[in-house]
């Protein structure tokens, strides 16, 4: 059971992200929720590729004869992290534009001012 | 000047930002030997620029960090990346034509655990440098644009 | 009313995820790893790079990296287009 702790951490991270997305009205908090879900997905990918007692898949000065963890999930997670940075920057800039146009970042008030 | 931080922060920034940049370029160049690579090293260098923006304010760095220059560096990185992908088109797109060729970055790697030779890896180090340039310029452009925009928003509020 | 429905749905999703976490195969024992073993054994001979992750990112799976670089470029393009009165 304690072996599965990383998966529980993934579930908790994603649950917190979904909670933030559903119940919070602040656009900055929504951006934080999206980042939490993203980090949960990244942690899940990395966890799937772990091999017990292994070292990172880099041959420079590695311990002799040790097993190596699976490198493909790490490479894909690297790509995913950079895409996450890009999308988060775009989300935050759109939040800035909304704040400048409406004077608030509360989603309810933005909807009210539109009408 | 407006938006500057205190003299303590400015002094420490002057001391430390060069080291952060050199460390970032080290991570980029040794990407095929040690943990790291283009993305990580580019993010470290961009954090040095972010430190400068935070310390001196948007007005203070306006004359030194130009958005046009960073846009040019970003496009250069992407073009270099795609160009070296096209150079391998004799076999396939993204073929590693420099590996084990004996020329630039062409030494064959010692199989198994070794101390590491910088002159190995074929196109991998070149791609690392290209992606590193692209990431550092992209993140710096994002930081500069958002800081300038937030300053304009503050002026509109007052 | 709407909020309570959302809350119940959230509790269901969270309970499902935690149950699935207990039901996963044990941490640290991936079952299918032929492809990764191939990469670990042959990456040094084929690409000459010591770092297997970098040789996957930039050589074996270069198209992923190309798409990722394009996404980053497009995000910067979008941000500069959003703040176009700043950029001039």
């Amino acid at each position: 059971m304690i072996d599965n702790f990383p998966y529980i951490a993934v579930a908790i991270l994603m649950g917190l992200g979904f909670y933030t997305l559903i119940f919070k009205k602040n656009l900055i908090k929504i951006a934080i929720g999206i980042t939490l879900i993203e980090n949960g997905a990244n942690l899940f990918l990395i966890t799937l590729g772990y091999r017990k007692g292994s070292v990172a898949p880099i041959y420079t000065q590695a311990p002799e004869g040790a097993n190596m963890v699976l490198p493909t999930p790490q490479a894909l997670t690297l790509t995913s992290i950079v895409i996450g940075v890009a999308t988060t920057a775009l989300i935050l800039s759109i939040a800035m534009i909304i704040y400048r146009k409406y004077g608030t970042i509360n989603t309810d008030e933005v909807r009210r001012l539109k009408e | 000047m407006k938006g500057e931080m205190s003299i303590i922060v400015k002094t420490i920034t002057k001391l430390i930002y060069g080291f952060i940049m050199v460390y970032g370029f080290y991570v980029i160049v040794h990407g095929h030997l040690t943990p790291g690579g283009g993305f990580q090293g580019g993010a470290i260098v961009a954090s040095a620029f972010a430190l400068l923006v935070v310390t001196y304010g948007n007005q203070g760095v306006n004359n030194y960090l130009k958005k046009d220059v960073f846009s040019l560096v970003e496009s250069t990185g992407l073009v270099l990346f795609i160009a070296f992908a096209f150079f391998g088109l004799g076999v396939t797109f993204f073929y590693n034509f420099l590996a084990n060729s004996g020329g630039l970055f062409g030494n064959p790697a010692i199989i198994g655990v070794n101390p590491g030779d910088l002159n190995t890896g074929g196109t991998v180090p070149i791609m690392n440098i290209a992606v590193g340039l692209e990431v550092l310029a992209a993140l710096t452009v994002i930081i500069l644009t958002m800081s300038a925009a937030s300053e304009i928003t503050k002026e509109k509020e007052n | 009313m709407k909020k309570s429905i959302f809350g119940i749905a959230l509790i269901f999703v969270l309970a499902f995820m935690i149950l699935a976490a207990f039901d996963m195969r044990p941490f640290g024992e991936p079952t299918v790893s032929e492809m990764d073993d191939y990469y670990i054994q042959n990456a040094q001979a084929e690409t000459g790079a010591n770092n297997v992750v970098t040789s996957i990112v930039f050589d074996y799976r270069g198209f992923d990296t190309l798409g990722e670089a394009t996404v980053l470029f497009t995000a910067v393009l979008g941000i500069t287009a959003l703040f176009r009165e700043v950029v001039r």
Side-chain angles (χ1 to χ4, degrees):
Chain A
M1 179 197 271
I2 197 68
D3 283 352
N4 279 345
F5 185 71
Y7 299 117
I8 300 168
V10 169
I12 291 171
L13 267 180
M14 286 200 152
L16 282 174
F18 283 129
Y19 170 80
T20 316
L21 280 191
I22 292 170
F23 290 113
K24 295 295 176 189
K25 301 289 185 193
N26 193 325
L27 280 176
I28 305 287
K29 287 179 184 169
I30 289 176
I32 293 173
I34 292 172
T35 316
L36 275 176
I37 294 177
E38 201 181 280
N39 286 337
N42 289 341
L43 181 62
F44 184 61
L45 275 175
I46 284 289
T47 307
L48 283 182
Y50 182 68
R51 218 183 249 159
K52 205 158 256 177
S54 308
V55 297
I58 294 163
Y59 279 102
T60 310
Q61 310 281 15
E64 202 73 53
N67 269 334
M68 288 182 174
V69 300
L70 311 191
T72 316
Q74 299 200 358
L76 296 184
T77 309
L78 188 55
T79 309
S80 155
I81 287 171
V82 179
I83 291 177
V85 168
T87 49
T88 309
L90 204 54
I91 289 167
L92 289 177
S93 353
I94 291 174
M96 279 171 76
I97 292 283
I98 286 174
Y99 179 73
R100 200 188 298 173
K101 203 159 171 60
Y102 295 106
T104 177
I105 48 174
N106 189 319
T107 48
D108 282 347
E109 288 175 37
V110 170
R111 195 181 297 140
R112 200 191 66 229
L113 285 170
K114 194 181 67 184
E115 286 163 0
Chain B
M1 205 183 288
K2 213 181 84 199
E4 272 186 358
M5 296 193 81
S6 67
I7 185 87
I8 302 168
V9 182
K10 276 197 267 185
T11 311
I12 296 295
T13 302
K14 269 178 207 159
L15 280 175
I16 216 172
Y17 86 94
F19 289 104
I20 298 178
M21 268 183 215
V22 170
Y23 178 63
F25 282 116
Y26 164 82
V27 169
I28 291 176
V29 171
H30 286 76
H32 58 297
L33 296 178
T34 54
F39 305 122
Q40 296 91 328
I44 292 171
V45 179
S47 77
F49 289 129
L51 182 66
L52 285 180
V53 173
V54 166
T55 308
Y56 290 99
N58 192 47
Q59 306 288 333
V61 297
N62 230 356
N63 294 329
Y64 306 102
L65 302 180
K66 297 250 188 260
K67 259 186 229 97
D68 297 344
V69 178
F70 282 108
S71 295
L72 196 66
V73 172
E74 187 194 0
S75 309
T76 310
L78 198 54
V79 166
L80 200 66
F81 185 70
I82 298 175
F84 270 90
F86 266 112
F87 284 158
L89 211 55
V91 184
T92 46
F93 201 58
F94 276 109
Y95 179 68
N96 196 341
F97 64 100
L98 283 173
N100 305 330
S101 68
L104 179 70
F105 296 121
N107 288 354
I110 306 150
I111 307 296
V113 176
N114 57 351
D117 178 8
L118 196 59
N119 199 18
T120 57
T123 54
V124 171
I126 297 171
M127 299 280 198
N128 259 327
I129 292 167
V131 170
L133 285 179
E134 202 223 334
V135 170
L136 84 88
L139 293 182
T140 313
V141 167
I142 289 173
I143 290 161
L144 286 174
T145 312
M146 288 178 82
S147 69
S150 71
E151 208 144 277
I152 286 181
T153 311
K154 259 185 240 159
E155 276 170 19
K156 270 191 186 173
E157 271 183 350
N158 297 333
Chain C
M1 185 60 205
K2 212 172 152 191
K3 269 196 174 180
S4 62
I5 292 174
F6 277 144
I8 292 166
L10 181 66
I11 288 169
F12 266 110
V13 170
L14 197 57
F16 172 75
M17 281 200 294
I18 289 187
L19 282 180
F22 282 120
D23 229 21
M24 293 287 287
R25 64 162 181 274
F27 173 61
E29 296 166 16
T31 48
V32 183
S33 60
E34 286 88 10
M35 182 179 68
D36 300 271
D37 289 335
Y38 176 84
Y39 287 152
I40 288 172
Q41 274 154 22
N42 298 328
Q44 270 191 313
E46 287 178 358
T47 67
N50 271 346
N51 189 339
V52 182
V53 176
T54 312
S55 65
I56 288 175
V57 167
F58 291 110
D59 198 327
Y60 292 110
R61 290 179 181 246
F63 280 95
D64 272 355
T65 311
L66 181 62
E68 175 274 321
T70 315
V71 167
L72 191 59
F73 190 80
T74 316
V76 173
L77 202 66
I79 288 169
T80 46
L82 278 174
F83 296 122
R84 58 189 174 281
E85 83 269 28
V86 179
V87 178
R88 279 182 235 295

